Amino acid sequence: MDAVSCFEKKTDDTIAFVDLKRQHEECATDIETVVQSVLARGAFILGEEVRKFEQEFAAVCGARHCVGVGSGLDALFLAMKGLGISAGDEVILPANTFIATALAVTHTGATPVLVDHDPHSWNIDPRRIRQAVTSRTRAIIPVHLYGRPADMDAIVAIAEELNLDVIEDACQAHGAAYRGRCVGSIGRAAAFSFYPGKNLGAAGDAGAVVTNDAELAEWLRRARNYGSHVKYHHGMLGFNSRLDNLQAAILRAKLPHLARWNERRRLIAEQYREGLRDLPIHLPEEAADSQHVFHLFVIRCEGRDAMLNFLKSRHIDAGIHYPVPIHHQPAYADGCVTRGPLTYTEMFADHLLSLPIHPHLTDGEVQRVIAAVHEFCEARGAVYKVVQRSRRDVLPTVASRPADSAALAPTGAPQP
């Protein structure tokens, strides 16, 4: 199953990992109206829809400024460029994240420094951050992985003590909140992706930087548009990374649904947690003081590839986020630094499985997924020995295990 096919219906009864067809059916009238309006006006690059979306999304994030750009990768890259991060600098980020987080650092000329994550939150471990800091460290990128906010108070405290910038990677966390504050409003800047499968997705690639820093926002507006505020007058060496009017109009049509869609995701997650809690799998935890928006519902289990195949046989799409850690990717054979052991990153790569979750999943479909996971675990018989988990013992032990069936190529579900 590749990144594209996860968006397509396979058979009439397949439970899709992401169902953009159902989403469009809900919003079709509004989207078609705004798209026709943009087409009729003939204004496609930047423009009024972009300006209005930026205002509206900044308000949702509790921030002063939003600058629309071409993608989430561009948002991370441009935010760092605007903060002066460049060759010779180091930027600390979690090893368990989509490669775009590291690529953005690399494209500035800086070096991505990978550290391990906390085994309970699956977000970057602040203790590992402190241990990884050197005289070359310029910034920290906490990723709000799968929609759960990172431990921002601890991360910001380290950054303030050591005079580092914090750039939030909020590409999976639209509408999430940490101790009453919206993600995206806590660090110096934050990057969002509006890739179609996100909690708030466009009809193609799109992204934004959110910030409370007026000077940075002004730099970003020029940088995204060839370094220009006035056509054919260029005060800096800029880039071409602009959120276009059509995508902004579509995002504006979807934005009023975001809070309700996120709440539906949270309800589905609760159904999964309730229905799967007695099985020998580790379920995602939710901090009492934060609001997880469940871009993904990721479980940890033994026999992951066998379960993926089994779910496919029951017409249920699932994914893997992420099967190959960044430091094992050929692209980063010598382009990144690992600092400290990556125990959990290495361990989890073979055990993580993402179950279908999207706001248009029906209760009946959720129960089908739960039933299929139960069926898989029961079919394996006395394979697992359930143990009490602690910070040092975070995976179930295996008493005896038959050979897994041939695994699917672990390309997983959609990109970040």
Side-chain angles (χ1 to χ4, degrees):
M1 178 170 56
D2 60 31
V4 174
S5 64
C6 283
F7 290 110
E8 300 173 351
K9 280 281 193 180
K10 313 294 191 308
T11 67
D12 288 343
D13 69 339
T14 296
I15 297 177
F17 189 82
V18 176
D19 199 326
L20 298 182
K21 182 176 181 292
R22 290 184 190 176
Q23 184 189 91
H24 182 70
E25 287 170 352
E26 178 181 352
C27 304
T29 301
D30 289 341
I31 289 175
E32 289 164 9
T33 297
V34 299
V35 167
Q36 287 301 319
S37 175
V38 171
L39 293 174
R41 293 198 306 271
F44 301 109
I45 304 300
L46 298 176
E48 187 67 11
E49 293 294 335
V50 173
R51 185 185 65 79
K52 289 180 178 178
F53 173 72
E54 289 174 338
Q55 291 176 342
E56 292 162 4
F57 192 67
V60 167
C61 295
R64 295 188 183 95
H65 307 281
C66 171
V67 180
V69 296
S71 68
L73 171 57
D74 283 359
L76 281 166
F77 165 71
L78 289 171
M80 283 186 280
K81 288 291 287 185
L83 294 173
I85 293 169
S86 61
D89 295 332
E90 293 181 346
V91 178
I92 298 172
L93 60 140
N96 181 32
T97 183
F98 184 58
I99 197 171
T101 314
L103 288 175
V105 177
T106 299
H107 290 322
T108 68
T111 299
V113 176
L114 307 180
V115 301
D116 213 357
H117 60 266
D118 177 88
H120 294 280
S121 71
W122 303 357
N123 278 322
I124 192 168
D125 188 336
R127 297 170 303 172
R128 303 298 184 188
I129 294 173
R130 183 176 291 278
Q131 294 165 1
V133 172
T134 71
S135 60
R136 296 173 60 189
T137 306
R138 279 290 312 280
I140 305 163
I141 302 181
V143 179
H144 304 302
L145 193 67
Y146 310 146
R148 173 173 173 158
D151 186 358
M152 292 304 295
D153 281 354
I155 293 166
V156 169
I158 294 169
E160 289 178 346
E161 176 189 341
L162 302 175
N163 195 30
L164 306 175
D165 283 320
V166 174
I167 301 110
E168 298 174 68
D169 182 337
C171 291
Q172 299 182 355
H174 313 67
Y178 174 81
R179 296 182 177 174
R181 293 170 288 172
C182 299
V183 302
S185 67
I186 304 169
R188 183 81 178 273
F192 286 88
S193 167
F194 304 116
Y195 182 79
K198 300 294 188 180
N199 292 32
L200 179 66
D205 279 316
V209 180
V210 170
T211 182
N212 288 314
D213 186 326
E215 184 177 347
L216 175 60
E218 180 62 21
W219 185 92
L220 290 164
R221 291 187 185 102
R222 287 184 288 125
R224 71 179 174 183
N225 190 33
Y226 298 100
S228 173
H229 254 331
V230 178
K231 194 171 184 178
Y232 303 134
H233 294 265
H234 307 273
M236 61 179 288
L237 299 176
F239 306 88
N240 177 11
S241 181
R242 301 173 295 199
L243 176 61
D244 67 58
N245 250 6
L246 275 172
Q247 299 296 355
I250 291 168
L251 289 167
R252 289 190 69 211
K254 292 183 177 182
L255 186 57
H257 301 275
L258 177 62
R260 178 170 50 81
W261 287 346
N262 281 345
E263 185 56 31
R264 176 61 184 160
R265 287 174 181 270
R266 289 170 55 78
L267 289 172
I268 292 168
E270 186 56 36
Q271 290 182 59
Y272 276 147
R273 281 200 295 257
E274 178 63 25
L276 301 174
R277 62 190 174 97
D278 294 329
L279 296 180
I281 59 179
H282 187 98
L283 301 172
E285 300 175 16
E286 185 170 9
D289 57 0
S290 296
Q291 185 170 28
H292 196 321
V293 292
F294 291 98
H295 172 60
L296 297 171
F297 189 92
V298 181
I299 65 173
R300 195 174 71 238
C301 60
E302 292 285 346
R304 187 271 309 282
D305 293 335
M307 186 184 291
L308 181 66
N309 278 326
F310 183 84
L311 293 176
K312 182 183 178 183
S313 76
R314 296 296 186 268
H315 298 170
I316 297 169
D317 287 348
I320 301 171
H321 297 84
Y322 299 96
V324 181
I326 292 169
H327 60 292
H328 290 318
Q329 297 284 355
Y332 276 108
D334 58 4
C336 67
V337 171
T338 61
R339 207 157 278 160
L342 300 180
T343 306
Y344 298 118
T345 299
E346 298 278 3
M347 189 188 305
F348 287 14
D350 294 328
H351 295 85
L352 297 181
L353 180 67
S354 303
L355 300 181
I357 190 165
H358 58 81
H360 300 89
L361 204 62
T362 68
D363 288 346
E365 288 170 331
V366 173
Q367 293 306 313
R368 265 186 62 194
V369 175
I370 291 170
V373 175
H374 272 269
E375 185 182 359
F376 171 80
C377 291
E378 290 164 6
R380 289 172 69 88
V383 174
Y384 301 113
K385 178 183 178 183
V386 182
V387 297
Q388 292 295 322
R389 296 170 175 83
S390 67
R391 295 185 70 85
R392 294 185 178 179
D393 186 10
V394 296
L395 282 171
T397 59
V398 181
S400 61
R401 183 172 73 184
D404 291 342
S405 57
L408 290 177
T411 51
Q415 294 176 12

